[in-house]
């Protein structure tokens, strides 16, 4: 049974009624159809976000022993209560997640013609009068906008909008300025806005309102009126004592002219330097002025850039400058550091150059090309220092930044400094960073350099090394040569890659692959499963199983706080039978949920990258692989994207393991405990 985490969170609803005690108002109610329960969280402000924490200690708000109880949604009612919508189904699991021996005994559609509703009532509950708002006069509807129960407020608002009664306008304007009911003021303002009668003067008092939520909503409404709202009111928002008001002001600043917006954003940036959401809000309103803001902040003596969050701002602003790929902006940014006597510290320069490099890559450019222009010699010492850093034994974080920087600079320096890091004696993150930096180089010597260091690579890193070798066509030849010479074992090439080679449009590559991979016994998953089935009869030791997990699973999976969050959290499979676990570990391609299918992406510059599609936006696709390695590919650089039809989880995990190891691993997996972390929400 899953404990400590949601397996199927449903119907997240904020309680906004008055029928329950005050401590329940504003709580989040969440159903879990897999656990047959309703969970409750308390929301508290934490800067520009809410923090959600468990409300009911060591117990759920509501739990049922009825396995058909499936709470999928909630709604606030006219009585100030919550209504639970119970789908009432026997089985809610996806057929792919049900072991075959169990599936054949189930009717997966049982309950499809049923459902239940529950109204939650507290002790001493009294129903409100039956609603009759459709017959209420306009003045009564306006008054109802201040009702403490959300259902009445929202229904009254809907009816006012549908009626479009001109008589409501003066009443709404009056309510929008009245105190003490903040809810009424907010509903009145939004109703005026929808009806097209909200004026700049209507926002003067709300922007100065004593209640922070009113000021927040007023800032949002001011977007539609822009410069018509007095600048003095906008300026006050930058110094508002409430972080959420400042967050909204940063989002809304995009409605202002460039000069006014930047002054507002500078102030908010300094005030909320460490808040990730406010940082994103500021950057969303920059009017394509990222370079201007970056240069301004760098010029501020004693600014927040000297503190820990500063490098994050520098990195993200520089990324936006690079993504814009305006030569003048890139040159202006680099010019700050071309003077050998510049007082900018290496940490700042690292953050700016790394950000520029990331952004230029996303827009089809490169920092390497940008550094070939005038003034490049002024930045050369930074790459020399980076080479010294990577060769040392200093903090891993500093070495990783230096590796990434070398990967963006001149190829000769990277090829000299990075290959020695491909050694199992180096920390795994250092090996992976060096691999990824080398993989991004177009130099023809990369492939032979990787092969030369193959035997020194740790097993967990070899998969990413194969990714680097597949990134460019000329490296595939080097890889096939290495397989023929038995420098690289056939088993080191995962099924996804074999499939790509066997289906290559290059006839020579295709023929060579067919000879190399023909008759590979490790591809017969049925034979492998049969040979390890004896593990099911052995007693496993949980702690020994943890060691096996770290060896073969932690590169992609997380369990009990250890590992990498790429594939699903393994705590979700604790209820599976030992046989089912063994089969799916040894034959990961038997059933593959869509979100864990591996994709192959060919780019305009000749690269081929693979991984799960972890994120998609209008401009880019993010692929994620083992050890958390990622590639961000701009859509305008994609020539082809295709599903491999196979799981990211590779076949062949049994290499080097005995049946007893699998018995231990299964004991560990079946005994996993879930975690219930505090959940931030925006």
């Amino acid at each position: 049974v899953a404990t400590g985490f949601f397996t199927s969170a449903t119907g997240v609803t904020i309680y906004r009624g008055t029928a329950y005690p005050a401590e329940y108002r504003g709580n989040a109610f969440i159903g879990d159809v897999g656990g047959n329960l309703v969970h409750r969280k308390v929301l508290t402000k934490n800067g520009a976000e809410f923090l959600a924490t468990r409300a009911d200690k060591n117990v759920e708000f509501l739990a049922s022993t009825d396995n058909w109880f499936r709470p999928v949604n909630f709604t606030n009612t006219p009585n100030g209560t919550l209504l639970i919508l119970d789908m009432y189904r026997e089985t809610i699991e996806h057929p792919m997640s049900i072991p075959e021996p169990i599936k054949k005994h189930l009717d997966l559609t049982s309950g499809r013609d049923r459902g239940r509703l529950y109204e939650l009532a507290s002790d001493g509950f009294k129903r409100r009068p039956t609603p009759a708002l459709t017959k209420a006069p306009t003045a009564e509807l306006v008054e109802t906008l201040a009702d403490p129960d959300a259902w009445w407020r929202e229904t009254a608002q809907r009816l006012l909008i549908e009626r479009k009664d001109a008589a409501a306008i003066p009443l709404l304007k009056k309510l929008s300025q009245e105190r003490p009911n903040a809810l009424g003021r907010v509903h009145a303002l939004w109703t005026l806005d929808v009806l097209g009668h909200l004026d700049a003067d209507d926002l003067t008092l709300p922007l100065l309102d004593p209640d922070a939520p009113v000021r927040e909503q007023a800032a949002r409404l001011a977007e539609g009126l822009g410069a018509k709202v007095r600048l003095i009111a906008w300026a006050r928002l930058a110094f508002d004592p409430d972080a959420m008001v400042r967050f909204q002001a940063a989002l809304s600043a995009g409605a202002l002219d460039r000069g006014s917006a930047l002054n507002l954003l500078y102030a908010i940036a300094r005030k909320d330097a460490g808040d990730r959401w406010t940082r994103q809000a500021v950057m969303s309103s920059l009017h394509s002025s990222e370079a201007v803001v970056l240069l301004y902040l760098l010029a501020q003596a004693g600014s927040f850039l000297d503190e820990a969050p500063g490098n994050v701002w520098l990195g993200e602003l520089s990324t936006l400058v690079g993504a814009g790929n305006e030569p003048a902006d890139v040159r202006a940014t680099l010019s700050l550091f071309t003077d050998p006597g510049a007082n900018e510290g290496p940490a700042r320069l690292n953050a700016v150059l790394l950000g520029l490099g990331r952004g230029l890559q996303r827009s089809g450019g490169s920092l390497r090309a940008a550094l070939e222009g005038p003034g490049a010699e002024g930045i050369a010492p930074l790459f020399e220092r980076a080479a010294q850093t990577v060769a040392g034994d200093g903090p891993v974080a500093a070495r990783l930044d230096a590796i990434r920087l070398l990967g963006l600079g001149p190829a000769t320096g990277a090829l000299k400094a990075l290959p020695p890091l491909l050694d199992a004696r180096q920390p795994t993150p250092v090996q992976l960073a060096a691999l990824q930096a080398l993989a991004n180089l177009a130099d023809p010597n990369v492939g032979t350099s990787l092969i030369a260091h193959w035997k020194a690579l740790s097993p967990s890193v070899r998969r990413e090394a194969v990714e680097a070798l597949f990134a460019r066509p000329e490296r595939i030849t080097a890889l096939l040569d290495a397989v023929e010479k038995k420098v690289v074992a056939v088993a080191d090439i995962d099924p996804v890659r074999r499939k790509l080679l066997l289906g290559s449009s290059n006839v020579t590559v295709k023929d060579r692959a067919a000879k190399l991979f023909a008759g590979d016994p490790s591809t017969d998953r049925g034979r492998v499963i049969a040979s390890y089935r004896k593990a099911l009869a052995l007693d496993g030791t949980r702690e020994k199983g943890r060691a096996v997990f770290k060896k073969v699973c932690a590169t992609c999976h997380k369990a009990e706080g250890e590992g990498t969050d790429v594939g699903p959290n393994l705590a979700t499979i604790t209820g599976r039978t030992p046989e089912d676990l063994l089969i799916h570990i040894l034959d990961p391609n038997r059933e593959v949920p869509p979100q864990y299918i591996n994709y192959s992406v060919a780019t305009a510059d000749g690269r081929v990258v693979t991984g799960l599609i972890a994120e998609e936006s209008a401009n880019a696709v993010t692929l994620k692989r083992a050890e958390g390695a990622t590639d961000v590919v701009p859509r305008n650089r994609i020539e082809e994207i295709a599903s491999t039809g196979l799981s990211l989880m590779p076949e062949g995990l049994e290499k080097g393991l005995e049946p007893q190891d699998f018995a231990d691993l299964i004991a560990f997996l079946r005994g996993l405990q879930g975690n219930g972390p505090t959940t931030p929400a925006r």
Side-chain angles (χ1 to χ4, degrees):
V1 178
T3 58
F5 59 90
F6 287 103
T7 62
S8 43
T10 54
V12 179
T13 300
I14 306 301
Y15 174 61
R16 296 177 298 132
T18 60
Y20 307 156
E23 62 266 26
Y24 286 83
R25 293 170 198 163
N27 287 184
F29 287 78
I30 308 105
D32 190 315
V33 297
N36 315 114
L37 58 86
V38 174
H39 181 80
R40 180 169 70 101
K41 288 189 178 293
V42 175
L43 302 182
T44 53
K45 279 188 174 183
N46 179 42
E49 67 182 2
F50 285 98
L51 214 57
T53 54
R54 172 182 279 275
D56 305 292
K57 304 301 179 186
N58 302 317
V59 69
E60 295 299 343
F61 173 77
L62 187 159
S64 176
T65 57
D66 180 0
N67 191 54
W68 287 54
F69 176 60
R70 311 293 188 184
V72 293
N73 213 339
F74 309 86
T75 188
N76 287 273
T77 75
N79 293 313
T81 58
L82 277 179
L83 191 71
I84 300 178
L85 285 72
D86 175 10
M87 186 171 69
Y88 197 61
R89 287 287 186 96
E90 181 181 16
T91 304
I92 47 86
E93 290 81 7
H94 192 285
M96 292 178 67
S97 67
I98 303 174
E100 288 297 333
I102 297 175
K103 191 186 303 184
K104 63 185 179 182
H105 297 293
L106 297 176
D107 175 3
L108 299 181
T109 64
S110 57
R112 66 185 182 276
D113 57 343
R114 306 180 190 182
R116 298 186 289 197
L117 297 175
Y118 304 91
E119 184 174 10
L120 294 177
S122 59
D123 292 340
F125 165 67
K126 293 182 179 179
R127 292 186 177 277
R128 291 190 60 162
T130 302
L133 291 180
T134 54
K135 301 176 182 178
T138 295
E140 183 180 333
L141 291 179
V142 173
E143 290 177 6
T144 306
L145 294 178
D147 195 281
D149 279 314
W151 185 92
W152 292 80
R153 294 193 308 273
E154 293 172 352
T155 302
Q157 185 174 38
R158 174 177 59 80
L159 292 170
L160 284 167
I161 292 169
E162 289 174 353
R163 288 184 187 181
K164 299 180 181 179
D165 185 355
I169 303 306
L171 298 174
L172 289 168
K173 287 181 178 287
K174 182 174 182 293
L175 178 61
S176 72
Q177 313 296 316
E178 286 183 348
R179 294 178 174 83
N181 194 306
L183 289 169
R185 295 199 295 281
V186 167
H187 277 280
L189 289 169
W190 277 104
T191 307
L192 284 169
D193 181 65
V194 174
L195 292 174
H197 288 275
L198 183 70
D199 300 322
D201 290 343
D202 295 325
L203 294 176
T204 302
L205 284 179
L207 286 168
L208 306 174
D209 200 280
D211 288 286
V214 178
R215 299 195 301 275
E216 181 183 353
Q217 295 300 313
R220 188 173 175 189
L221 284 162
E223 293 177 20
L225 299 172
K228 293 181 181 179
V229 177
R230 279 177 269 179
L231 287 177
I232 188 170
W234 280 106
R236 287 179 66 109
L237 294 177
F239 303 97
D240 196 281
D242 188 271
M244 288 191 175
V245 175
R246 298 193 300 273
F247 169 78
Q248 183 58 56
L251 288 173
S252 301
L256 296 174
D257 64 86
R258 180 180 178 186
S260 301
L262 292 183
N263 287 331
L264 179 68
L265 295 172
Y266 291 150
I268 295 175
R270 289 193 295 268
K271 179 74 174 176
D272 296 285
D275 191 294
R276 58 174 179 156
W277 295 112
T278 304
R279 183 171 67 251
Q280 298 305 317
V282 167
M283 294 190 186
S284 73
S285 297
L286 288 179
H287 290 284
S288 300
S289 301
E290 293 83 5
V292 174
V293 176
L294 177 62
L295 299 177
Y296 171 85
L297 293 177
L298 285 168
Q300 300 304 301
S303 72
F304 69 86
L305 296 179
D306 296 322
E307 301 170 1
N311 281 352
V312 180
W313 281 86
L314 284 179
E316 293 194 4
L317 281 168
S318 301
T319 299
L320 292 175
V321 172
N325 205 2
E326 291 290 338
D329 289 344
V330 174
R331 285 196 301 269
T333 303
L334 290 174
S335 68
L336 286 177
F337 307 106
T338 55
D339 177 7
N343 60 5
E344 303 297 343
R348 285 193 179 188
L349 184 49
N350 277 8
V352 171
L353 290 182
L354 286 171
L356 273 177
R358 285 192 299 268
L360 286 165
Q361 281 181 332
R362 295 178 187 181
S363 61
S366 77
L367 181 63
R368 193 172 295 108
L371 291 174
E372 291 173 355
E377 63 279 359
I379 297 177
L382 181 71
F383 291 98
E384 295 170 7
R385 287 198 299 269
Q388 295 170 2
T389 300
V390 302
D393 57 358
V396 170
R399 297 180 72 194
L400 295 181
D401 276 350
I403 290 168
R404 295 181 187 114
L405 188 58
L406 285 170
L408 295 171
T412 52
L415 283 169
K416 181 179 179 181
L418 298 181
L421 302 179
L422 305 179
D423 190 309
R425 291 170 294 183
Q426 294 286 350
T428 298
V430 169
Q431 295 179 66
L432 286 169
L435 269 172
Q436 290 164 351
L438 287 167
N440 288 329
L441 297 177
D443 194 284
N445 295 310
V446 170
T448 54
S449 181
L450 293 179
I451 295 297
H453 290 81
W454 187 266
K455 291 185 178 180
L457 294 176
S458 63
S460 63
V461 174
R462 286 188 178 182
R463 197 186 314 173
E464 188 64 18
V466 173
E467 178 74 23
L469 288 167
F470 269 80
R472 296 188 182 277
E474 69 274 9
R475 298 178 196 168
I476 293 178
T477 300
L479 174 62
L480 293 175
D481 290 342
V483 174
E484 285 180 346
K485 296 174 183 177
K486 302 191 183 310
V487 174
V488 175
V490 170
D492 286 333
I493 314 299
D494 61 79
V496 172
R497 293 305 189 179
R498 293 180 212 172
K499 183 177 179 180
L500 289 173
L501 289 172
L502 292 168
S504 174
S505 58
N506 184 312
V507 176
T508 301
V509 169
K510 184 177 181 179
D511 290 345
R512 291 185 70 185
K515 293 176 183 178
L516 289 171
F517 303 136
D520 179 15
S522 67
T523 59
D524 186 346
R525 291 291 95 192
R527 184 185 305 174
V528 172
I529 292 170
S531 67
Y532 280 89
R533 194 172 290 277
K534 64 185 73 171
L536 301 176
L538 301 175
D539 292 328
T541 304
R542 192 172 189 276
E543 282 311 305
K544 290 182 179 178
R546 184 188 297 275
V548 179
F549 162 77
K550 290 180 180 179
K551 179 179 178 180
V552 300
C553 307
T555 57
C556 287
H557 295 282
K558 203 162 190 175
E560 295 186 349
E562 297 182 289
T564 307
D565 193 10
V566 179
N569 189 310
L570 295 181
T572 61
I573 52 91
T574 55
R576 291 195 171 191
T577 65
E579 181 179 21
D580 196 49
L581 288 173
L582 183 71
I583 290 172
H584 282 83
I585 292 170
L586 294 174
D587 189 5
N589 292 307
R590 178 166 294 206
E591 290 181 285
V592 188
Q595 67 269 38
Y596 297 116
I597 287 178
N598 213 358
Y599 279 78
S600 173
V601 177
T603 67
D605 59 354
R607 295 178 63 214
V608 178
V609 294
T610 66
L612 302 180
I613 295 182
E615 185 179 336
E616 289 189 84
S617 69
N619 301 316
V621 173
T622 300
L623 299 175
K624 194 172 185 179
R625 297 183 299 281
E627 298 287 1
T630 58
D631 282 295
V632 179
V633 186
R635 288 192 184 274
N636 61 3
R637 307 293 296 169
I638 295 175
E639 287 202 342
E640 183 181 15
I641 182 168
S643 163
T644 65
L646 300 176
S647 169
L648 179 69
M649 182 173 170
E651 293 177 355
L653 289 177
E654 69 277 1
K655 287 189 303 178
L657 298 179
E658 299 296 328
Q660 182 62 56
D661 295 316
F662 275 90
D664 295 334
L665 177 60
I666 289 169
F668 172 71
L669 295 177
R670 284 173 58 80
L672 288 176
Q673 300 298 311
N675 299 316
T678 295
T679 306
R682 175 55 242 168

